[in-house]
């Protein structure tokens, strides 16, 4: 990835072409800002969540932080989570672990498309599938030896493009969520009595 | 957690009470099945994703696997992912990394509520917030020394309940997504040319 990653583009053009539907000028402007000042690269994403009773809870996303400023989504997003009926839920929304799989596969796709676009690699189509195996004895506290989350996750991406599978995979591996899921990360959980 | 986790309940009652809106009988039935046969604990979640062009892609969830059988959601779920305008997106849906935060906070909440319910601990309300810090130089390939995903995640849960903050936090820490995000996990990514 040394020769052809986006870092090799040293002169951002804010009016770059739209490649694969991605306005590369906008991307190169962000990259240029970050190259000039590492503080501009410090982003923060946030959300609030409220328990709705039983198996259902709801998250709200609005404000985030990037390039030294508070940012807002065009409109706030809400996401519900639920559990299947089999696991005492009402099945009105995806489960938390399905949200992880969506985060992973969507990030791999967007990351590959973004990096390809900046490099001028045309992509015609991307269709992917992901599956995650979980032994729920860990979650239910039935065994200390069984981990609580997925024990393995497999992704298959089918991509129509002139570029080689190897190149496309290298681009996808810049994915933030791949890094989050595959590697460990400090997660601080504080519980306060309301 | 040794004395009061759900594993200590050895005789599942399928007609258990509804606690915190959770039908504990249903949960105890699943737990009972798993205790009798570890194969029943092998679950698999899956989804398919299609790139919609530019910054947008869409996941479909329908079939999953649990208790030795293929399962279906009551209805298929679709989830979009997008990027903010600042990052060359259209901001029509949450970003992949926001989906990770939603997965984490929703799983912590449901896990705490489920374990509390089985133990007869009443919970009145749960309101939480989460933030994740990311240095996007990693994602953009501008530095090999900066990780691509979140470098740190912080969660604050505010819970109204008779139980102590320590007990409630212990219950939340059975979360599958906490384990996935905090710890490393084998993620296999195969890229095929379509």
């Amino acid at each position: 990835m040394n020769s052809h990653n986006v870092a090799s583009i040293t002169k951002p053009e804010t009016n770059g072409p739209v490649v694969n539907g991605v306005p590369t000028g906008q991307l190169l402007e962000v990259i240029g800002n970050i190259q000039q000042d590492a503080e501009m690269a410090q982003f923060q994403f946030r959300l609030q969540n409220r328990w709705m009773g039983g198996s259902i809870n709801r998250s709200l996303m609005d404000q985030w932080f990037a390039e030294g400023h508070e940012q807002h989504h065009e409109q706030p997003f809400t996401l519900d989570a639920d559990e299947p009926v089999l696991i005492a839920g009402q099945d009105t929304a995806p489960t938390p672990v399905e949200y992880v799989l969506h985060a992973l596969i969507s990030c791999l796709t967007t990351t590959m498309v973004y990096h390809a676009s900046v490099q001028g690699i045309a992509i015609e189509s991307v269709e992917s599938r992901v599956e995650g195996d979980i032994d729920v004895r860990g979650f239910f506290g039935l065994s200390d030896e069984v981990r609580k989350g997925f024990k393995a996750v497999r992704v298959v991406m089918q991509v129509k493009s002139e570029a080689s599978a190897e190149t496309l995979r290298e681009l996808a591996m810049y994915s933030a969520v791949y890094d989050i899921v595959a590697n460990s990360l400090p997660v601080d959980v504080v519980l306060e009595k309301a």
Side-chain angles (χ1 to χ4, degrees), chain A:
Chain A
M1 285 309 305
N2 299 323
S3 59
H4 53 248
N5 72 16
V6 294
S8 63
I9 295 139
T10 50
K11 289 213 172 185
E13 293 170 22
T14 54
N15 296 316
V18 174
V19 182
N20 302 320
V22 176
T24 59
Q26 177 63 32
L27 267 188
L28 292 173
E29 187 180 329
V30 171
I31 292 165
N33 292 340
I34 293 166
Q35 281 181 317
Q36 285 169 28
D37 181 358
E39 271 306 302
M40 301 288 268
Q42 310 309 313
F43 284 29
Q44 185 178 84
F45 292 92
R46 311 163 185 152
L47 54 83
Q48 294 82 47
N49 182 278
R50 180 190 294 260
W51 176 51
M52 309 298 282
S55 54
I56 303 177
N57 60 74
R58 179 168 297 166
S59 290
L60 175 72
M61 278 139 284
D62 182 11
Q63 240 175 316
W64 56 291
F65 183 88
E67 296 200 330
H69 298 286
E70 290 295 320
Q71 312 278 346
H72 283 273
H73 283 296
E74 298 285 309
Q75 69 281 332
F77 298 118
T78 59
L79 290 173
D80 280 10
D82 198 348
E83 296 291 335
V85 174
L86 178 73
I87 323 171
Q90 299 195 42
D91 210 7
T92 61
T95 64
V97 292
E98 286 172 315
Y99 278 110
V100 171
L101 297 182
H102 172 61
L104 174 63
I105 203 161
S106 64
C107 194
L108 286 164
T109 296
T110 298
T111 303
M112 179 183 66
V113 168
Y114 268 31
H115 279 261
S117 299
V118 170
Q119 296 177 29
I121 298 171
I123 292 179
E124 268 185 73
S125 68
V126 187
E127 295 197 12
S128 307
R129 57 183 192 274
V130 57
E131 52 190 30
D133 302 326
I134 185 166
D135 180 334
V136 296
R137 287 179 296 173
F139 168 80
F140 282 121
L142 298 174
S143 168
D144 290 340
E145 284 154 33
V146 174
R147 71 177 293 171
K148 295 163 180 70
F150 289 128
K151 55 185 173 185
V153 171
R154 292 170 299 282
V155 178
V156 178
M157 305 178 74
Q158 293 182 311
V159 186
K160 204 172 279 186
S161 169
E162 288 178 345
S164 72
E166 190 184 0
T167 295
L168 294 165
R169 188 180 183 282
E170 280 177 355
L171 300 179
M173 297 310 274
Y174 281 97
S175 163
V177 178
Y178 174 82
D179 175 33
I180 291 167
V181 174
N183 301 310
S184 63
L185 166 64
V187 180
D188 185 40
V189 179
V190 173
L191 197 142
E192 299 172 350
K193 294 290 291 287

Coordinates of all heavy atoms in Angstrom, one line a residue, chain A residues 131-163:
Chain A
E131 N -21.0 -13.4 8.5 CA -21.6 -14.3 9.5 C -20.7 -14.3 10.7 O -19.5 -14.2 10.6 CB -21.9 -15.7 9.0 CG -20.7 -16.4 8.4 CD -21.1 -17.7 7.7 OE1 -22.2 -17.8 7.2 OE2 -20.3 -18.6 7.7
G132 N -21.4 -14.3 11.9 CA -20.7 -14.3 13.2 C -21.2 -15.4 14.0 O -22.4 -15.6 14.2
D133 N -20.2 -16.2 14.6 CA -20.6 -17.4 15.4 C -20.5 -17.0 16.9 O -19.5 -16.4 17.3 CB -19.6 -18.5 15.2 CG -19.6 -19.0 13.7 OD1 -20.6 -18.9 13.1 OD2 -18.5 -19.3 13.3
I134 N -21.5 -17.3 17.6 CA -21.5 -17.0 19.1 C -22.0 -18.2 19.9 O -23.0 -18.8 19.5 CB -22.3 -15.7 19.3 CG1 -22.2 -15.2 20.8 CG2 -23.7 -15.8 18.8 CD1 -22.7 -13.8 20.9
D135 N -21.3 -18.5 20.9 CA -21.8 -19.5 21.8 C -22.4 -18.8 23.0 O -21.7 -18.2 23.8 CB -20.6 -20.4 22.3 CG -20.9 -21.5 23.3 OD1 -21.9 -21.4 24.0 OD2 -20.2 -22.5 23.3
V136 N -23.7 -18.8 23.1 CA -24.4 -17.9 24.1 C -24.3 -18.4 25.5 O -24.8 -17.7 26.4 CB -25.9 -17.7 23.7 CG1 -26.0 -17.0 22.3 CG2 -26.7 -19.0 23.7
R137 N -23.5 -19.4 25.8 CA -23.3 -19.8 27.2 C -22.4 -18.7 27.9 O -22.6 -18.5 29.1 CB -22.5 -21.1 27.2 CG -23.4 -22.3 26.9 CD -22.7 -23.6 27.0 NE -21.6 -23.7 26.0 CZ -20.7 -24.6 25.9 NH1 -20.7 -25.6 26.8 NH2 -19.8 -24.6 24.9
G138 N -21.6 -18.0 27.1 CA -20.8 -16.9 27.7 C -21.7 -15.8 28.1 O -21.7 -15.3 29.3
F139 N -22.6 -15.3 27.2 CA -23.5 -14.2 27.5 C -24.4 -14.5 28.7 O -24.7 -13.7 29.5 CB -24.3 -13.9 26.3 CG -25.5 -13.0 26.5 CD1 -25.3 -11.6 26.6 CD2 -26.8 -13.5 26.7 CE1 -26.3 -10.8 26.9 CE2 -27.8 -12.6 27.0 CZ -27.6 -11.3 27.1
F140 N -24.9 -15.8 28.7 CA -25.8 -16.2 29.8 C -25.1 -16.5 31.1 O -25.8 -16.8 32.1 CB -26.7 -17.3 29.3 CG -27.8 -16.9 28.4 CD1 -28.0 -17.4 27.1 CD2 -28.8 -16.0 28.8 CE1 -29.0 -17.1 26.3 CE2 -29.8 -15.6 28.0 CZ -29.9 -16.1 26.7
G141 N -23.8 -16.4 31.1 CA -23.1 -16.7 32.4 C -23.1 -18.1 32.7 O -22.9 -18.5 33.9
L142 N -23.2 -19.0 31.8 CA -23.2 -20.5 32.1 C -21.8 -21.1 32.1 O -21.7 -22.2 32.5 CB -24.1 -21.2 31.0 CG -25.6 -20.8 31.0 CD1 -26.3 -21.4 29.9 CD2 -26.2 -21.1 32.4
S143 N -20.9 -20.4 31.5 CA -19.5 -20.9 31.5 C -18.5 -19.7 31.5 O -18.6 -18.8 30.7 CB -19.3 -21.7 30.3 OG -17.9 -22.0 30.1
D144 N -17.5 -19.8 32.4 CA -16.5 -18.8 32.4 C -15.5 -19.0 31.3 O -14.7 -18.1 31.0 CB -15.7 -18.8 33.7 CG -16.6 -18.3 34.9 OD1 -17.6 -17.6 34.6 OD2 -16.3 -18.6 36.0
E145 N -15.5 -20.2 30.7 CA -14.5 -20.5 29.6 C -15.0 -20.1 28.3 O -14.2 -20.1 27.3 CB -14.2 -22.0 29.7 CG -13.2 -22.3 30.9 CD -13.4 -23.8 31.3 OE1 -13.7 -24.6 30.4 OE2 -13.3 -24.0 32.5
V146 N -16.2 -19.7 28.1 CA -16.8 -19.4 26.8 C -16.8 -17.8 26.7 O -17.4 -17.2 27.6 CB -18.2 -19.9 26.6 CG1 -18.8 -19.4 25.3 CG2 -18.1 -21.5 26.6
R147 N -16.3 -17.3 25.7 CA -16.3 -15.8 25.6 C -17.7 -15.4 25.3 O -18.6 -16.1 24.8 CB -15.3 -15.3 24.5 CG -15.7 -15.6 23.1 CD -14.6 -14.9 22.1 NE -14.7 -13.4 22.2 CZ -13.8 -12.6 21.7 NH1 -12.8 -13.1 21.0 NH2 -13.9 -11.3 21.8
K148 N -18.0 -14.1 25.6 CA -19.4 -13.6 25.6 C -19.8 -13.1 24.2 O -20.9 -13.2 23.8 CB -19.5 -12.5 26.6 CG -19.3 -13.0 28.0 CD -19.1 -11.9 29.0 CE -18.9 -12.4 30.4 NZ -17.6 -13.2 30.6
G149 N -18.8 -12.7 23.4 CA -19.1 -12.2 22.1 C -18.9 -13.2 21.0 O -18.8 -14.4 21.3
F150 N -18.8 -12.7 19.8 CA -18.5 -13.7 18.7 C -17.2 -14.4 18.9 O -16.2 -13.7 19.4 CB -18.4 -12.9 17.3 CG -19.7 -12.4 16.8 CD1 -19.8 -11.0 16.4 CD2 -20.8 -13.2 16.6 CE1 -21.0 -10.5 15.9 CE2 -22.0 -12.7 16.1 CZ -22.1 -11.4 15.8
K151 N -17.1 -15.6 18.6 CA -15.8 -16.3 18.6 C -15.1 -16.2 17.3 O -13.9 -16.3 17.2 CB -16.0 -17.8 19.1 CG -16.9 -18.6 18.3 CD -17.1 -20.0 18.9 CE -18.2 -20.8 18.2 NZ -18.5 -22.1 18.8
A152 N -15.9 -16.0 16.2 CA -15.3 -15.9 14.9 C -16.3 -15.1 14.0 O -17.5 -15.3 14.1 CB -14.9 -17.2 14.3
V153 N -15.7 -14.3 13.1 CA -16.5 -13.6 12.1 C -15.9 -13.8 10.7 O -14.7 -13.8 10.6 CB -16.6 -12.1 12.4 CG1 -17.2 -11.3 11.3 CG2 -17.3 -11.8 13.7
R154 N -16.7 -14.1 9.7 CA -16.3 -14.3 8.3 C -17.0 -13.4 7.4 O -18.2 -13.2 7.5 CB -16.5 -15.7 7.9 CG -15.7 -16.8 8.6 CD -16.1 -18.2 8.3 NE -17.5 -18.4 8.7 CZ -17.8 -18.7 10.0 NH1 -16.9 -18.7 11.0 NH2 -19.1 -18.9 10.3
V155 N -16.2 -12.7 6.5 CA -16.8 -11.8 5.6 C -16.4 -12.2 4.2 O -15.2 -12.6 4.0 CB -16.2 -10.3 5.8 CG1 -16.8 -9.4 4.7 CG2 -16.5 -9.8 7.2
V156 N -17.3 -12.3 3.2 CA -17.0 -12.5 1.8 C -17.5 -11.3 1.0 O -18.7 -11.0 1.1 CB -17.6 -13.8 1.3 CG1 -17.2 -13.9 -0.2 CG2 -17.1 -15.0 2.1
M157 N -16.6 -10.6 0.3 CA -16.9 -9.4 -0.5 C -16.8 -9.8 -2.0 O -15.7 -10.3 -2.4 CB -16.0 -8.3 -0.2 CG -16.0 -7.9 1.3 SD -14.9 -6.5 1.6 CE -15.8 -5.1 1.0
Q158 N -17.8 -9.6 -2.7 CA -17.7 -9.9 -4.2 C -17.8 -8.6 -4.9 O -18.8 -7.8 -4.8 CB -18.9 -10.8 -4.6 CG -18.7 -12.2 -4.0 CD -19.8 -13.2 -4.4 OE1 -21.0 -12.9 -4.4 NE2 -19.4 -14.3 -4.9
V159 N -16.7 -8.3 -5.6 CA -16.5 -6.9 -6.1 C -16.3 -7.0 -7.7 O -15.4 -7.8 -8.1 CB -15.3 -6.2 -5.5 CG1 -15.1 -4.8 -6.0 CG2 -15.4 -6.3 -4.0
K160 N -17.0 -6.2 -8.4 CA -16.8 -6.1 -9.8 C -15.9 -4.8 -10.1 O -16.4 -3.7 -9.8 CB -18.1 -6.0 -10.6 CG -18.1 -6.4 -12.0 CD -19.4 -6.5 -12.7 CE -20.2 -7.8 -12.3 NZ -21.4 -7.9 -13.0
S161 N -14.7 -5.0 -10.6 CA -13.8 -3.9 -10.8 C -12.6 -4.4 -11.6 O -12.4 -5.6 -11.7 CB -13.2 -3.4 -9.4 OG -12.1 -2.5 -9.5
E162 N -11.9 -3.4 -12.2 CA -10.8 -3.8 -13.0 C -9.6 -4.2 -12.1 O -8.7 -4.9 -12.5 CB -10.3 -2.6 -13.9 CG -11.2 -2.4 -15.1 CD -10.8 -1.2 -15.9 OE1 -10.0 -0.4 -15.4 OE2 -11.3 -1.0 -17.0
A163 N -9.6 -3.6 -10.9 CA -8.4 -3.9 -10.0 C -8.4 -5.3 -9.5 O -9.4 -6.0 -9.6 CB -8.5 -2.9 -8.8

